[in-house]
Structure formats: structure tokens, C-alpha cells
Amino acid sequence: MPSPYRAIFSAPGTASFSVAGFFGRMPLSMMGIGIVTMISQVTGRYGLAGALSATLAMSAAVLGPQVSRLVDRYGQRRVLRPVTLISLAAATGLLLCVQQQAPDWTLFAFTAVIGCVPSVGAMTRARWAEIYRGDGRSLHTAYSWESIADEVCFIFGPIVSIGLSTAWFPEAGPLFAAVFLAVGVFWLTAQRATEPSPHPHRDDRGGSALRSPGLQVLALAFVATGAIFGSVDVVTVAFAEEQGHKAAASLVLAVYALGSCLAGAVFGLLHLKGEPSRRWLLGICAMAVSMIPLLLAGNLPLLAVALFVAGLSIAPTMVTTMALVEAHVPRTKLTEGMTWTGTGLAIGVALGSSAAGWVVDASGAEAGYVVPVVSGALAVVVGLLGHRRLSRPAPNREGQRERDDDSGTDGADGGAEARDGERPVA
């Protein structure tokens, strides 16, 4: 492991909560595709499978920030364990209803409740932020490590979920996703030493973290970014089927995630200067431009190359986004703020998947790649219009006064150094 990554794991407890967080976030890439595979195998109704997957995504988008808001106030252990039990109970209900061929409305009801699953990635990032507050370089490397973990989950999660459901029994994919969730969350919350301090008496007059203008820009841009991801997944599966190699779709999409994973690993080794908001805008533009070659890919090998190149801009943009969230959201609402970006992605994935499916049905798979191209263009528009809001931390950001007084502070790492003078709030 390169020395910057070794350095961040020198803090006690970091390796343990990182591994627990990896297990806990596996359902992010397993549950949705597992439900689609399960329903399509049991009923043969792809429309129902897609609708349930969209229900899960939208439910997580609505409930996720509320769970994270409670975490900021009461702590990870007190909140995550009960909501995880609720999500697991709902997953059990869904599997039983599928097995017993219950009415469709019961499937939607249980799927919607599964959406209260906690954003484990936001929980582990909050722990890194607590440990390396004021150390921008270490936090940059830690966020890069988290992006690598995300991409590894998305490389192997769908393969595991689909493989279990097809080779063993239809419910196996969602079942093992639930097992990963239980192991990850309960292992993570057992580690009290690295848990961020809750803020039970925080001032809520400012309302949700989403009231931050900078966070609004990031979340809205991530809706368009999520539409890129959702549409690429759907269209790639359809394209592979048209080419007569549907099973190869998972490998092609794994190459997409691999490109992001490698870029994130290298990005974590760099110590970049300059405004992170400009770096973020450059990343959004790179993601948009990288979608254009997909329109020209006439076969699966060329498509895999194009997706690998497209993936190179994902993880660096995600890392910079987390740093910007930290710069624009009060520490007492950091977990909620990080979850809102995931909410934007979830909404975008649902919208992009639906739009791509409609275009594929109407005009074919190759035409479907117009959807990620248009989504990328929308992300660029949001980035250009909102760039000024991201150029410096919001005036009411904790520690902003200290940053203003310290003109020598370098803002290269997303505002982490901006909080050098920050002290914990009781």
C-alpha cells in the first residue's frame, strides 16, 4: 500500500471501521439489482422488477437524509441499529411475499420500507472527518480510499448478487445483501472509539443541511450525474443483448467501475493546489465529455474501452465533492450533508434508468446512449451556473471566521484546512 494510504490507517481503529463500512455498503450495489433479478426470475415481469427497483431508490432518497440527520443529533449507534433492524425486517417481508406470490402492492410496501437503510458510506466518511479534522492532505487521501471502496463494491456487488440469484435460488441476491448490511452496520456501530460525537443540543433554527446554497448545487448536479450512471447501466445491458452477448454486460460495466477505482487510487496520492470548486467543475465537464464516445462504439470491446476512459473522471469528482460538502455544511450536520449527495445520485439513477429504458424501447440500444450524453450536459449547466456558490465556504460555515483571519491557509483540500482553528462544539 502506498505510503499516504498507510499513513491514514496509522490512527487506531481506522482499519476496523473501514472494513466494517465496506461490508455495510455492499447492499448499495447488490439490493437493487438483486430485486430486479429475483422478480424477473420468479414472475418474468421486467416492468414490475424495474418499478420495484425505482421504488427502492426513491425511498432511500427520501428516508436516507432523515436517518443521517438523526445520526448527527443522537449518534451512529443509537440510530443505525434500530433503522437497520427495520430495513432487515422489511427485506424479510419482501422475500416471503415473493416466495408466497403475494399481491404486488405488498412488494411495493416492503420495498419502500427497505429504503430506510442507512448510508454507510456517509457514516465512514464522517469518522474520517472526525479523526483528521484540520489535516486536509490526510482527509483527501481518506476520501479517495472511500471512493475506491465504493467502486470495488460496484465492481463485485452486482456480479455476486446476480450470480447468487441465478445459480442458487432467486431470493439469494437480496438475502445476502441483507446479511452484508447486518454484519457491516452492527460491526461498525460496535466501534465506539471512532464514532463522531453527536450534537443533541445543536441549534436547528437553520433547518436541514440542504439549506446550504453550496450543497444545493452539489446535490442538483448529482441528480444529473446519477442519471448518467443509471442510463449507462440500462443501455449497456440492452446493447450487449443486441450484440448477442447479454452476459458480457456485467463485465463491461465492471470495467467502467475499474476505471474509476484506479483513478481514485492515483488521485489519493496527489496533493493538489488551487480551488477545489474549479477542480470539481473540471471533473463534471470531463464526465460529460467522456459520454460522447459511447455514441460511436459499435461493438462491446470498443464500448469497454470507452467506458474505462469514462470511469477515470468519476472517483476524483466524487472525492472533491465530499471535500466541498465538508466546506459548506456545519460539522453538526456533516453526515446529513454527505447523504444528500447520495440522495441526488439515487434520484438521478431512477430518472436515468427510466429515460434510458424508454429510449431503448423506442429507438434501440445505440440511440439510448443519448441519455447519458444529455445528462452530462445538464450536469455541466448546473456546475457552471452554481460554480460561484462553491468558490468558497458559506459565510455561516463553522470555522469560517478562523479561515478568514488566516490568509495563509491553503484551500486546496476542499476546505479541510479552513477549519484549522475550529474547536468542537458542545
Side-chain angles (χ1 to χ4, degrees), residues 54-79:
T55 299
L56 176 64
M58 295 303 293
S59 174
V62 172
L63 299 177
Q66 310 311 316
V67 171
S68 294
R69 193 175 187 183
L70 292 173
V71 167
D72 283 329
R73 173 172 283 191
Y74 299 110
Q76 293 185 3
R77 182 185 179 93
R78 290 183 61 187
V79 175

Side-chain angles (χ1 to χ4, degrees), residues 134-180:
D135 185 352
R137 289 187 175 184
S138 295
L139 199 54
H140 167 79
T141 305
Y143 286 159
S144 297
W145 176 262
E146 288 297 309
S147 289
I148 294 171
D150 286 339
E151 297 307 330
V152 170
C153 287
F154 276 98
I155 290 173
F156 294 105
I159 297 174
V160 172
S161 186
I162 294 172
L164 289 171
S165 290
T166 55
W168 201 359
F169 54 91
E171 298 86 359
L175 175 61
F176 273 80
V179 171
F180 277 121

Side-chain angles (χ1 to χ4, degrees), residues 37-362:
T37 306
M38 174 181 67
I39 296 298
S40 62
Q41 281 191 274
V42 173
T43 69
R45 298 165 59 188
Y46 282 90
L48 175 62
L52 287 171
S53 179
T55 299
L56 176 64
M58 295 303 293
S59 174
V62 172
L63 299 177
Q66 310 311 316
V67 171
S68 294
R69 193 175 187 183
L70 292 173
V71 167
D72 283 329
R73 173 172 283 191
Y74 299 110
Q76 293 185 3
R77 182 185 179 93
R78 290 183 61 187
V79 175
L80 296 189
R81 290 192 169 189
V83 299
T84 298
L85 290 175
I86 293 173
S87 183
L88 292 173
T92 302
L94 173 64
L95 299 184
L96 291 175
C97 286
V98 170
Q99 190 179 56
Q100 299 298 318
Q101 299 182 350
D104 290 351
W105 68 266
T106 61
L107 307 183
F108 283 98
F110 282 115
T111 301
V113 179
I114 295 175
C116 71
V117 58
S119 176
V120 178
M123 306 304 157
T124 55
R125 286 178 171 91
R127 292 187 181 227
W128 287 116
E130 184 80 5
I131 293 170
Y132 290 116
R133 185 181 308 121
D135 185 352
R137 289 187 175 184
S138 295
L139 199 54
H140 167 79
T141 305
Y143 286 159
S144 297
W145 176 262
E146 288 297 309
S147 289
I148 294 171
D150 286 339
E151 297 307 330
V152 170
C153 287
F154 276 98
I155 290 173
F156 294 105
I159 297 174
V160 172
S161 186
I162 294 172
L164 289 171
S165 290
T166 55
W168 201 359
F169 54 91
E171 298 86 359
L175 175 61
F176 273 80
V179 171
F180 277 121
L181 176 65
V183 171
V185 169
F186 280 85
W187 185 8
L188 179 68
T189 53
Q191 302 172 47
R192 305 298 297 275
T194 56
E195 180 179 348
S197 301
H199 304 275
H201 304 297
R202 76 182 191 193
D203 187 355
D204 265 345
R205 287 177 296 179
S208 170
L210 195 58
R211 294 177 65 89
S212 163
L215 183 59
Q216 292 171 7
V217 173
L218 296 172
L220 187 58
F222 265 41
V223 172
T225 303
I228 293 176
F229 300 155
S231 57
V232 165
D233 286 353
V234 171
V235 179
T236 299
V237 172
F239 184 81
E241 186 172 14
E242 284 188 0
Q243 297 289 311
H245 301 284
K246 185 176 181 180
S250 60
L251 297 178
V252 174
L253 292 174
V255 170
Y256 187 32
L258 178 63
S260 177
C261 182
L262 294 178
V266 173
F267 192 69
L269 302 177
L270 304 178
H271 301 301
L272 303 175
K273 302 296 182 181
E275 287 293 330
S277 58
R278 295 177 184 174
R279 198 158 60 244
W280 176 83
L281 182 60
L282 179 62
I284 291 293
C285 292
M287 291 177 64
V289 172
S290 68
M291 292 296 105
I292 297 175
L294 302 184
L295 295 169
L296 308 176
N299 54 59
L300 286 175
L302 287 178
L303 179 63
V305 173
L307 284 175
F308 177 82
V309 174
L312 296 177
S313 59
I314 296 176
T317 306
M318 297 296 184
V319 173
T320 307
T321 298
M322 291 301 106
L324 285 171
V325 170
E326 197 200 3
H328 286 267
V329 175
R331 183 165 56 87
T332 56
K333 301 179 182 180
L334 182 58
T335 309
E336 180 193 351
M338 290 181 173
T339 304
W340 274 114
T341 59
T343 293
L345 279 176
I347 294 174
V349 167
L351 295 176
S353 300
S354 300
W358 181 82
V359 173
V360 168
D361 287 341

